[in-house]
Amino acid sequence: MNQAPLVRGARRCRGPGPSFPRRVLGAWLVLTTLVLAPSQASADEVVARNGEGIYRRGITGSGAPVEASRESGQRLAGPAVACINCHRRSGLGSKEGRTIMPPVAGRYLFNARSGTEELDLPFVEGARGNQVSYTDETLARAIREGVDSEGRALNYLMPRYALADADLAALTAYLKGLERRKVPGVTQSELHFATIITPDADPVKRRGMLSVLRQFFAERNARQPDPTAQMLTSGKNAFSKMMFKVNRRWELHVWELTGAESTWQEQLERHLAKQPILAVVSGLGGSHWEPVHAFCEKAEVPCILPNVEAPPADADRDFYSLYFSRGVLLEADLIRERLVGAAGARPWGKVRQVYRAGDVGEAGSGALAAMLKRAGITVSQRVLAREDPAASGLADALADLRDDEALVLWLRPTDLEVLPGAPRGAAVYLSGLMGGLERTPLPPAWRREAHVAYPFDLPDARRVRVDFAFGWFRIRQIPVIAEQVQADTYLACGLLSETVKHMVDNFVRDYLVERFEDTLEHRIVTGYYPRLSLATGQRFSSKGGYVVRFPDATGGRVIADSRWTVP
């Protein structure tokens, strides 16, 4: 096949003639090196960018959509035929039901697979150990004509791509560089993980989270498996003789941030440079988490289920950061469902919100205000000073509350327990995540009127699922001082452990995220949440919640005032 070169050379420079003065010749050579080197680097970058565009977005180097057709004649274009849809970001393939999409990372396509070389190729479901290695020419045939390296027709799901030579060369180069052998944070004997804690994180939750993390890591490392490599056999193909799994020690690094938020990114970069990690597990944020999220995306480090009450609203656009839920942003959606007039609720014309400056309620109230204003509802915001005593300012914020005005409180227990007077008949909604869920310390007069946004399963419904974690804490004498955070941290650790087991020895960060998505989908014990799942383009694994109320003057019993709602 007549194929364009991988990188088109720059227009050839005409060199100096034989009579050129020696000093001028030397200067010319230096100048040529300075001019041509950046040009060559730029050409390589263009090829890499074009290959990535085809693979991830279905866009050619010219910006036009990639065109393809299926065996049936159906024509497709653009994102619908992006390779990432089936072969995933890592290039290590996927599985849908009984259909297995094979890996297309260069090591699997171009590996000779002969003799002892097989042992250096980590196992991936869908890879054929006895497959004839691809060449550039046979890969071009597979992409354009749907014929594999052995001359057989590929699965009907594989489109036939109409790629120009330059685009095909760019895609081939991208596939060859997809999977790197050396993974940061992974050695022959250790896997390195970090947990990140922001300066304004709750100190009680910090102690609770770290007690679970440290115990989980210590217990996992205390197991004494056979010191030799374990052989995991499938019996399906040539890979059955090469699925070696080395038991590695897990190392936990606690990265505690200090100072201003503007310095966190630099601090994290220093931590990562000093100690590379495979992933961030759990973690704890205060009023802000965006700099940590941005760092993980930029450094391409998976961040597995941190304890965050206000994650970035647009996290679904990113890849590496996975969250339990949208936190107070989800609560804002749940409250909006009631205030706008859904399912028989009273459509309020005015809503007042109260929150403390600098706390996560600021994000929740801002999101709710924007949604209500779009629905034609007037919203007023009362902001309490960050450092004032709990009772200070509350009376003023509520003084002129009207009977026909709905009230939304984004407040912590220290504020809620000193609410003055009574709510004067106005509908009252509050953040359960901030207020303490069923333990919210409301005065009796407020307790009778309050409706609580509740982004978890109800206590009775989740009891069996959380009992396993609490039993684990009890046996290991771990004080339960922050129930929900500790249960979530234990769940995150368990999910990570299952994911790593399924990865065998193929420790690639992108693959870790992809395998985690699969693990989450099949998890039965989901702690505080009725169900966890992450589909393509989703980074919040629990999607809904309840609005609950208190049926009794005292106690921790709540009843649902709505069905489980996914806004």
Side-chain angles (χ1 to χ4, degrees):
M1 178 178 292
N2 185 17
Q3 189 169 321
L6 180 61
V7 180
R8 296 188 182 277
R11 186 167 51 186
R12 182 174 299 174
C13 293
R14 188 177 301 278
S19 60
F20 221 67
R22 189 177 299 274
R23 283 183 301 177
V24 177
L25 175 61
W28 180 85
L29 289 173
V30 171
L31 180 62
T32 301
T33 301
L34 293 175
V35 171
L36 290 183
S39 177
Q40 182 64 41
S42 177
D44 290 342
E45 291 170 2
V46 169
V47 170
R49 186 167 61 249
N50 290 349
E52 179 182 317
I54 295 168
Y55 187 90
R56 293 190 181 181
R57 296 179 293 279
I59 303 299
T60 66
S62 67
V66 172
E67 296 183 356
S69 61
R70 295 205 188 279
E71 194 176 28
S72 63
Q74 178 188 14
R75 294 190 174 278
L76 305 166
V81 293
C83 313
I84 196 174
N85 293 334
C86 293
H87 301 289
R88 309 295 291 272
R89 187 185 183 107
S90 66
L92 296 179
S94 63
K95 182 179 180 180
E96 293 290 339
R98 295 184 178 181
T99 302
I100 296 177
M101 310 299 178
V104 293
R107 291 178 65 190
Y108 293 86
L109 290 176
F110 298 99
N111 187 71
R113 298 185 180 93
S114 62
T116 58
E117 291 181 6
E118 292 182 359
L119 299 178
D120 195 37
L121 192 66
F123 170 79
V124 174
E125 190 173 20
R128 290 177 51 211
N130 56 356
Q131 177 179 276
V132 173
S133 178
Y134 276 93
T135 64
D136 286 4
E137 290 72 24
T138 57
L139 180 61
R141 182 180 66 180
I143 293 171
R144 286 171 166 164
E145 302 173 24
V147 178
D148 74 6
S149 60
E150 299 173 16
R152 298 174 302 187
L154 291 169
N155 188 289
Y156 73 95
L157 293 174
M158 174 68 178
R160 281 57 170 160
Y161 291 85
L163 287 178
D165 287 351
D167 288 323
L168 184 61
L171 178 58
T172 302
Y174 182 77
L175 295 177
K176 288 181 177 180
L178 246 185
E179 202 244 324
R180 304 173 179 85
R181 287 175 179 261
K182 185 173 177 58
V183 181
V186 178
T187 71
Q188 287 300 313
S189 59
E190 295 175 335
L191 296 178
H192 291 267
F193 299 94
T195 194
I196 299 172
I197 304 172
T198 64
D200 57 347
D202 184 301
V204 175
K205 293 178 179 179
R206 173 190 172 278
R207 290 198 305 274
M209 180 194 73
L210 288 178
S211 67
V212 174
L213 281 171
R214 286 168 172 156
Q215 180 64 35
F216 191 96
F217 273 63
E219 189 165 307
R220 194 185 188 286
N221 291 335
R223 299 173 191 153
Q224 297 296 328
D226 185 338
T228 60
Q230 295 178 339
M231 180 174 287
L232 309 177
T233 58
S234 67
K236 295 179 181 178
N237 53 43
F239 271 103
S240 63
K241 65 183 179 182
M242 53 168 288
M243 293 169 61
F244 286 97
K245 179 176 177 61
V246 177
N247 289 285
R248 291 172 169 84
R249 179 180 177 83
W250 284 27
E251 293 291 340
L252 177 66
H253 305 275
V254 180
W255 293 354
E256 300 216 43
L257 302 178
T258 60
E261 183 182 336
S262 59
T263 68
W264 295 357
Q265 180 103 4
E266 184 181 351
Q267 292 180 51
L268 290 168
E269 289 171 354
R270 288 200 303 267
H271 279 301
L272 186 62
K274 182 178 180 181
Q275 177 55 67
I277 59 170
L278 175 62
V280 173
V281 56
S282 194
L284 185 63
S287 57
H288 297 286
W289 187 256
E290 288 86 351
V292 180
H293 177 100
F295 161 78
C296 291
E297 295 302 318
K298 180 181 178 182
E300 299 185 345
V301 173
C303 184
I304 306 300
L305 303 177
N307 297 290
V308 181
E309 293 176 332
D314 58 354
D316 279 338
R317 302 177 186 176
D318 296 321
F319 180 76
Y320 292 97
S321 298
L322 313 177
Y323 298 94
F324 279 112
S325 81
R326 294 170 57 236
V328 294
L329 304 180
L330 172 57
E331 291 186 321
D333 275 333
L334 294 171
I335 296 172
R336 173 191 58 84
E337 294 276 324
R338 304 299 301 276
L339 293 177
V340 170
R346 180 176 176 180
W348 298 96
K350 293 183 179 180
V351 174
R352 178 181 303 190
Q353 299 195 90
V354 181
Y355 64 89
R356 280 205 177 271
D359 205 347
V360 296
E362 192 166 356
S365 65
L368 180 57
M371 291 185 286
L372 294 179
K373 288 176 182 177
R374 286 196 294 269
I377 297 175
T378 302
V379 181
S380 63
Q381 309 277 65
R382 302 299 171 90
V383 185
L384 305 180
R386 186 168 191 169
E387 303 299 334
D388 279 356
S392 178
L394 268 176
D396 291 340
L398 304 173
D400 57 346
L401 188 67
R402 295 173 43 166
D403 290 345
D404 62 347
E405 189 175 8
L407 176 66
V408 182
L409 302 175
W410 302 91
L411 299 174
R412 299 288 180 184
T414 51
D415 284 325
L416 294 174
E417 65 187 356
V418 295
L419 285 168
R424 299 183 185 178
V428 178
Y429 293 88
L430 56 97
S431 164
L433 194 61
M434 295 180 65
L437 301 176
E438 61 272 12
R439 292 188 175 88
T440 299
L442 286 169
W446 289 82
R447 188 180 180 88
R448 286 192 293 267
E449 301 295 333
H451 303 266
V452 183
Y454 202 94
F456 303 103
D457 207 353
L458 298 175
D460 288 341
R462 69 176 185 250
R463 192 178 309 281
V464 173
R465 295 196 305 272
V466 299
D467 273 352
F468 188 84
F470 291 148
W472 191 85
F473 301 154
R474 185 171 55 255
I475 293 171
R476 287 148 185 85
Q477 298 183 345
I478 296 175
V480 179
I481 56 178
E483 286 187 7
Q484 180 252 315
V485 166
Q486 288 176 279
D488 280 359
T489 301
Y490 178 76
L491 178 57
C493 288
L495 286 164
L496 178 62
S497 183
E498 289 181 34
T499 301
V500 169
K501 178 182 68 176
H502 290 304
M503 293 174 72
V504 190
D505 280 329
N506 213 342
F507 295 113
V508 177
R509 286 171 171 170
D510 288 2
Y511 189 49
L512 171 61
V513 175
E514 294 161 2
R515 290 302 315 215
F516 191 90
E517 294 171 350
D518 296 337
T519 300
L520 197 66
E521 182 70 25
H522 299 96
R523 178 77 175 196
I524 297 175
V525 179
T526 52
Y528 268 64
Y529 309 91
R531 184 171 183 267
L532 298 172
S533 65
L534 289 172
T536 302
Q538 295 180 348
R539 284 300 171 260
F540 302 109
S541 48
S542 180
K543 315 297 192 296
Y546 295 97
V547 173
V548 304
R549 58 186 174 85
F550 299 101
D552 307 314
T554 59
R557 192 165 72 96
V558 294
I559 59 175
D561 204 29
S562 70
R563 295 182 178 181
W564 176 264
T565 302
V566 178

